[in-house]
Amino acid sequence: MNVQARPKTFSRLELRPLSPMIGAEIFGLDLRETLDDSQIAEVRAALLKHKVVFFRDQDLTSAQHIAFAKRFGALEIHPATPKGQEDPELLHIAHGPESKGRENFWHSDVTWRTAPSLGSILRAIELPAVGGDTLFSNMVAAYEGLSPAMKDWICGLTAVHDIARVFAGRLGKTAEELHQKFPPQEHPVVRTHPETGERALYVNTAFTSHIKGLSAKESGWLLDHLYAQAVIPEYQCRFVWRVNSIAFWDNRASQHYAASDYFPAVRRMARVTVAGDQPFFDPAN
């Protein structure tokens, strides 16, 4: 495990927590500018500490959005991105009168990859007058809130994650077609964070299909119990978007839920995703 050194204090930016458990707004940075390495290190440290960080009033171009994300690692291209798009790193998420929001379930992004994403950076472009908030839940706290006996059991379990559960219908493909490029992946039910060493629940309602080695009934019961931990309000924060707001969340330690309460109003967002590494569980940590 590579637990990276990171700043102990924040001198280049101002942090204002949204809740005691997760989320903080960052002030004092203009993301249109090229940030120096110490500023990027503090943003990363804030992300690791708070699981999701937010920026206001960042009128970025697509190129600036992508450039900021690249400071944290290589970028992914999502299979839902149309072929031939000028900026393939940008995933456009738009809903309105002809398309009701469909991201209203607790999930972590792209857990169907062999190496799921480090984090996602979402920018608000057009918003409804009211509604369309995003909720975030701390999955480290969700794990820590379980009983010792439950922790002991699930730390030895493996779950299967399947892209087809969500994207077969959205992309108009069969599960078999999607599995040719993105076969189902096995990840530990409890993931060790590669930078902090924290343990986090790593199953989600969107992409987790079952737990290996359990009967369908046992797997369903256990997954429902673990999914429910994300719903506990004490583990959450709620972000009220404004145009040019940005959220940057750690997919390794959090889940999110986009409230779809604004139909038929328009909500347009753009997301860039930083590639991550293969999940693992460290029993010694």
Side-chain angles (χ1 to χ4, degrees), residues 6-285:
R6 53 190 182 275
K8 301 297 184 183
T9 59
F10 299 96
S11 61
R12 306 297 306 279
L13 50 85
E14 178 187 351
L15 286 175
R16 299 179 194 171
L18 261 70
S19 81
M21 198 61 70
I22 185 171
E25 289 192 83
I26 291 180
F27 297 88
L29 296 181
D30 185 343
L31 304 187
R32 295 171 299 181
E33 301 176 354
T34 301
L35 305 183
D36 62 41
D37 289 344
S38 68
Q39 290 172 309
I40 291 296
E42 289 199 7
V43 171
R44 192 178 193 112
L47 176 71
L48 296 177
K49 179 179 180 180
H50 294 281
K51 313 309 190 243
V52 55
V53 293
F54 307 100
F55 305 85
R56 297 288 193 186
D57 303 319
Q58 303 289 335
D59 188 9
L60 304 185
T61 65
S62 295
Q64 290 167 334
H65 187 174
I66 292 168
F68 173 66
K70 283 182 176 179
R71 299 296 299 278
F72 299 92
L75 304 185
E76 293 181 355
I77 297 176
H78 198 282
T81 302
K83 292 182 179 180
Q85 182 176 296
E86 182 177 357
D87 297 307
E89 301 92 344
L90 278 178
L91 177 65
H92 294 277
I93 305 170
H95 297 294
E98 306 301 322
S99 170
K100 191 171 184 178
R102 296 178 293 176
E103 297 78 28
N104 54 334
F105 44 80
W106 286 104
H107 65 287
S108 178
D109 294 325
V110 301
T111 61
W112 41 264
R113 291 191 185 275
T114 304
S117 67
L118 179 156
S120 300
I121 303 175
L122 185 68
R123 177 168 56 100
I125 299 172
E126 182 178 358
L127 295 169
V130 64
D133 302 346
T134 303
L135 293 83
F136 296 87
S137 190
N138 182 335
M139 301 315 293
V140 173
Y143 167 77
E144 292 175 347
L146 297 171
S147 69
M150 179 61 75
K151 290 179 187 176
D152 287 344
W153 182 30
I154 65 175
C155 282
L157 298 178
T158 298
V160 177
H161 298 250
D162 187 349
I163 185 176
R165 287 170 57 86
V166 172
F167 286 102
R170 295 189 186 184
L171 298 178
K173 295 180 180 291
T174 66
E176 292 73 21
E177 288 173 321
L178 284 175
H179 290 165
Q180 289 178 8
K181 187 173 183 179
F182 304 105
Q185 297 296 315
E186 297 180 2
H187 299 313
V189 169
V190 178
R191 177 179 186 171
T192 300
H193 196 289
E195 297 187 64
T196 68
E198 296 173 310
R199 293 181 178 183
L201 288 183
Y202 201 63
V203 293
N204 68 91
T205 60
F207 302 118
T208 305
S209 62
H210 64 281
I211 296 177
K212 285 187 65 180
L214 300 185
S215 69
K217 185 175 181 180
E218 291 168 335
S219 175
W221 175 87
L222 180 55
L223 284 174
D224 284 345
H225 179 68
L226 298 180
Y227 295 156
Q229 307 312 304
V231 182
I232 296 174
E234 284 80 3
Y235 301 157
Q236 298 176 9
C237 71
R238 184 178 186 121
F239 186 61
V240 180
W241 293 93
R242 298 198 297 262
V243 172
N244 294 327
S245 294
I246 287 177
F248 181 6
W249 60 86
D250 188 338
N251 271 309
R252 304 163 296 182
S254 69
Q255 291 189 27
H256 56 284
Y257 180 112
S260 297
D261 54 359
Y262 52 90
F263 181 80
V266 173
R267 182 182 188 266
R268 292 196 301 119
M269 320 290 277
R271 191 181 88 191
V272 179
T273 301
V274 182
D277 54 358
Q278 189 165 359
F280 65 93
F281 174 72
D282 182 1
N285 190 59

